[in-house]
Amino acid sequence: MPSADNVMDKLVSLAKRRGFVFQSSEIYGGLGSVWDYGPLGVELKKNVKERWWRSMVHERDDIEGLDAAILMHPKVWEASGHIAGFTDPLVDCKQCKNRFRADDPRIKGTPGQPDAQCPVCGMKGTLTAPRLFNLMFKTFMGPVEEDAAVIYLRPETAQGIYINYLNVLQSSRQKIPFGIAQIGKAFRNEITPGNFTFRTREFEQMEMQFFVKPAADQEWFEFWKAQRMEWVQGLGLHVEKLRFHQHAKDELAHYAKDAYDIQYEFPFGWQEFEGIHNRTDFDLSRHQQHSGKKLEYVDTATNERFVPYIIETSAGADRTTLVVMVDAYHEEEVAGEKRVVMRFHPALAPIKAAVFPLVNKDGMPELARRIYDDLRRHLNAFYDDGGSIGRRYRRQDEAGTPFGITIDGQSTQDQTVTVRDRDTLLQDRVAADRLVAHLTEKLKG
Ligand code: ATP
């Protein structure tokens, strides 16, 4: 069994080598826990987001999309409880200036006391007593850096949905139960980030808030729990590596009545990558109080008035993409040689098909170009005429490209091409004019 670090190290190295993910600001020595997506990574993450958007917005009549701004009125964060509650207790080492979570298992002794030992520099008595530290990034709006101008980068996308609840309700003419979905950036000044893109300081969330009658909360909670697991399984992940984890009473967030995480078994253990939460009427009630605006719903059939309960499904786009990458990473031996292959679900693969002229002569490049130009109008294709055909296949295996199209001597005679399947390595011969239909059929789902 390879060690966790080993598997993650290999993935980080492949991600850099092939252009999935790069460390941010690398030429300046890097910026802690911020990552950039390269040419393959941006396609992969976009495919994850588009699949989510399609299933949550386009395929449902009862969910509307939204794109709220990252910057919001500072009172939003008072109402949400983030200014008071979004904090972790931290300790600093006065000697080496490192900062740790107070519950860091590497700390020996009690921080603030002479016996406490810094896990980095090893000095005793240099750790401060725990202090609360807010995870929100603060900045200033306008020209003057004063308290009145403080504004925050949002630590979750959800609040942008709550403060637009009435706007969407009125403009879309939806009726409860209905939902609002949003994909967007969020920022948290995490103290113990790490594990590649698992916990970062800037990340993207895919959140959907579903507004229901208070008495219907349990029913919708169960519905969304099941739906989200089904969607996650549809990403083609190993099902035995997926499970639910219900939050115990002491894990529940201040707003939650019930919460389940969807966890994946990463090389570093079972970890959450999506949460389904029953947030009750906490959020809308708080915004009602703090803004002074009525956020009640009036049921026109029964004349009932109530503040809706909210069932939230909250997923990380980056963390889900990491799950997809970890799950796809596969090493095997083929004909005595090591092969590294990213077994992405074809619908998620950054490149769907790569086109290879077997050799750069005898009319093969011309035909290959024509086929490539035709293909790229329908799907993301890639043309490669460099190096031996074996090496070209290997490069696409690492990119996770499901189909390799080779134009050989026979192709110029009878207008057929070979289609190599990334996983089975089997090759079919297909008529060039049927290629688009052939691939589209295989890429479905
Ligand atoms: P954790 O316990 O891992 O910090 P959380 O319970 O605070 O996560 P939520 O606030 O419920 O997470 O956020 C929902 C989702 O957003 C998470 O399941 C995860 O996919 C993503 N997410 C949250 N924080 C980060 C982060 N720092 N980096 C990357 N993704 C994140």
Side-chain angles (χ1 to χ4, degrees):
M1 183 71 186
S3 78
D5 279 353
N6 194 4
V7 175
M8 288 311 287
D9 287 350
K10 285 181 181 177
L11 185 67
V12 174
S13 141
L14 176 130
K16 178 173 178 190
R17 184 159 37 87
R18 296 316 320 271
F20 282 96
V21 179
F22 309 123
Q23 160 112 68
S24 162
S25 317
E26 199 185 343
I27 59 168
Y28 289 102
L31 181 66
S33 286
V34 186
W35 298 88
D36 299 338
Y37 288 81
L40 292 180
V42 65
E43 295 290 338
L44 180 66
K45 186 168 142 185
K46 186 166 66 68
N47 291 341
V48 169
K49 289 189 286 181
E50 281 179 2
R51 200 172 167 85
W52 186 89
W53 193 261
R54 177 150 49 87
S55 92
M56 296 301 264
V57 182
H58 291 180
E59 290 176 1
R60 295 198 64 96
D61 293 331
D62 55 359
I63 300 185
E64 304 288 339
L66 178 75
D67 184 12
I70 289 172
L71 302 178
M72 282 177 253
H73 197 290
K75 283 203 171 148
V76 168
W77 307 112
E78 278 171 32
S80 71
H82 280 84
I83 287 179
F86 200 54
T87 47
D88 275 347
L90 294 182
V91 302
D92 289 313
C93 174
K94 287 185 267 186
Q95 176 66 24
C96 68
K97 311 286 181 224
N98 273 294
R99 179 171 271 188
F100 313 93
R101 287 173 73 117
D103 60 1
D104 190 323
R106 297 170 305 163
I107 296 178
K108 295 197 184 73
T110 313
Q113 301 296 319
D115 66 322
Q117 188 178 13
C118 171
V120 170
C121 70
M123 287 283 282
K124 280 194 170 173
T126 55
L127 294 180
T128 62
R131 293 181 297 125
L132 288 180
F133 172 79
N134 198 292
L135 296 181
M136 281 196 293
F137 279 94
K138 238 186 212 176
T139 186
F140 299 95
M141 185 132 151
V144 189
E145 295 195 2
E146 60 184 19
D147 282 354
V150 165
I151 191 157
Y152 301 92
L153 299 187
R154 67 182 176 199
E156 61 176 29
T157 54
Q159 300 301 326
I161 295 183
Y162 306 145
I163 59 173
N164 278 293
Y165 154 74
L166 270 190
N167 286 335
V168 176
L169 179 69
Q170 286 159 2
S171 59
S172 66
R173 308 183 65 230
Q174 287 280 1
K175 289 197 164 52
I176 270 178
F178 82 102
I180 305 177
Q182 163 159 253
I183 298 178
K185 291 265 185 172
F187 303 82
R188 294 182 191 175
N189 202 356
E190 299 275 8
I191 306 312
T192 48
N195 281 326
F196 196 27
T197 55
F198 178 80
R199 188 183 303 285
T200 54
R201 294 195 166 107
E202 172 176 344
F203 55 97
E204 234 173 328
Q205 290 188 311
M206 309 185 288
E207 293 198 310
M208 193 281 297
Q209 313 292 327
F210 205 73
F211 302 87
V212 303
K213 271 190 173 177
D217 65 334
Q218 198 51 33
E219 180 193 329
W220 282 107
F221 186 70
E222 294 301 332
F223 174 84
W224 281 112
K225 215 179 109 197
Q227 285 282 308
R228 293 309 303 151
M229 183 56 103
E230 196 180 305
W231 184 84
V232 161
Q233 289 177 349
L235 299 175
L237 306 172
H238 292 92
V239 286
E240 70 280 9
K241 293 191 172 217
L242 292 169
R243 71 176 188 195
F244 278 119
H245 163 77
Q246 185 178 17
H247 284 206
K249 285 265 170 301
D250 59 350
E251 273 177 278
L252 282 176
H254 57 280
Y255 51 75
K257 175 171 159 189
D258 198 1
Y260 278 80
D261 293 339
I262 300 180
Q263 295 186 330
Y264 179 78
E265 191 179 16
F266 287 94
F268 46 88
W270 286 96
Q271 296 286 347
E272 155 189 3
F273 66 107
E274 168 153 359
I276 297 100
H277 311 128
N278 180 346
R279 299 182 67 126
T280 69
D281 58 1
F282 177 85
D283 304 278
L284 290 185
S285 302
R286 295 276 292 201
H287 284 302
Q288 188 166 264
Q289 268 168 25
H290 283 250
S291 67
K293 289 266 175 334
K294 272 229 170 317
L295 298 176
E296 281 175 345
Y297 181 82
V298 184
D299 188 329
T300 44
T302 61
N303 258 340
E304 266 178 290
R305 284 173 173 270
F306 56 88
V307 175
Y309 266 41
I310 293 175
I311 308 301
E312 165 185 72
T313 73
S314 173
D318 307 86
R319 216 179 267 181
T320 305
T321 304
L322 180 63
V323 167
V324 166
M325 284 199 283
V326 169
D327 200 75
Y329 186 88
H330 189 78
E331 284 177 13
E332 62 189 16
E333 221 177 85
V334 176
E337 261 186 58
K338 187 175 121 185
R339 174 170 99 116
V340 174
V341 52
M342 295 299 276
R343 293 201 155 143
F344 294 128
H345 184 306
L348 297 179
I351 302 170
K352 308 300 184 198
V355 178
F356 314 116
L358 186 60
V359 289
N360 275 316
K361 56 181 185 188
D362 302 334
M364 289 180 225
E366 292 77 6
L367 180 57
R369 274 270 164 206
R370 275 211 302 282
I371 288 173
Y372 170 61
D373 284 339
D374 188 28
L375 266 187
R376 68 202 295 199
R377 289 191 292 125
H378 303 273
L379 43 88
N380 193 24
F382 185 77
Y383 187 86
D384 189 3
D385 61 2
S388 77
I389 191 73
R391 288 195 50 188
R392 283 182 268 167
Y393 284 152
R394 294 286 174 277
R395 281 202 290 265
Q396 290 308 313
D397 287 343
E398 283 192 338
T401 306
F403 303 108
I405 318 297
T406 305
I407 287 80
D408 56 14
Q410 188 179 330
S411 309
T412 54
Q413 304 302 312
D414 66 4
Q415 308 292 308
T416 62
V417 297
T418 62
V419 179
R420 171 189 181 267
D421 182 292
R422 174 196 70 199
D423 299 332
T424 63
L425 300 175
L426 295 176
Q427 305 212 7
D428 286 336
R429 204 162 256 287
V430 176
D433 60 5
R434 283 220 61 253
L435 189 59
V436 169
H438 179 85
L439 295 183
T440 315
E441 181 58 33
K442 291 201 166 217
L443 286 165
K444 263 198 198 144

